[in-house]
Amino acid sequence: QVQLVESGGGLVQAGGSLRLSCAASGSIFSINDMEWYRQVPGKQRGVVAGISNTGRTNYADSVKGRFTVSRDNAKNTMYLQMNSLKPEDAGVYYCNALVKSSVWSPTFDEYWGQGTQVTVSS
């Protein structure tokens, strides 16, 4: 089994910064794509940023130039540096990862973290 644990959320004033972390642990042979999602009440969870195992990144238009996603493959950890935060960035941030548990696993399985709350005051 694989666990994803997010941390780093909290309350910040508009214009401030936060750094989220997502640490994967358990039975891990390799991790493919990792992504950050945000969910607000009444809306579907949407992707904020993602990073492949080779470091290729992608961002939602709303966060380009302000957020930076990175990962440390040796630590099985992904990060999201969030700068110039706006009230509309608030929500629960979830980590998502595609993980192969062993060399014999035929496919990558999808896992989610429990989420971390980000609140941005205006």
Side-chain angles (χ1 to χ4, degrees):
Q1 190 65 300
V2 174
Q3 297 81 39
L4 301 179
V5 178
E6 302 98 334
S7 61
L11 172 63
V12 64
Q13 286 189 333
S17 298
L18 283 174
R19 189 189 193 214
L20 305 184
S21 298
C22 169
S25 63
S27 180
I28 298 172
F29 173 71
S30 67
I31 303 177
N32 199 344
D33 294 344
M34 300 183 78
E35 293 183 311
W36 287 102
Y37 283 74
R38 178 175 64 228
Q39 188 166 28
V40 298
K43 293 190 177 181
Q44 283 191 328
R45 199 174 293 186
V47 65
V48 174
I51 185 167
S52 73
N53 59 349
T54 60
R56 177 171 44 87
T57 60
N58 61 278
Y59 298 93
D61 287 342
S62 61
V63 306
K64 284 180 181 177
R66 300 187 297 120
F67 290 12
T68 302
V69 62
S70 61
R71 64 191 280 177
D72 184 333
N73 290 330
K75 296 181 178 180
N76 290 330
T77 300
M78 174 178 62
Y79 306 96
L80 185 67
Q81 178 66 44
M82 305 187 295
N83 298 328
S84 303
L85 281 161
K86 304 176 181 180
E88 52 264 41
D89 295 321
V92 179
Y93 282 71
Y94 294 92
C95 171
N96 175 279
L98 297 177
V99 181
K100 185 174 285 191
S101 297
S102 76
V103 65
W104 300 282
S105 299
T107 60
F108 286 88
D109 296 319
E110 184 179 43
Y111 293 91
W112 290 92
Q114 83 289 347
T116 185
Q117 177 73 48
V118 171
T119 303
V120 184
S121 64
S122 56

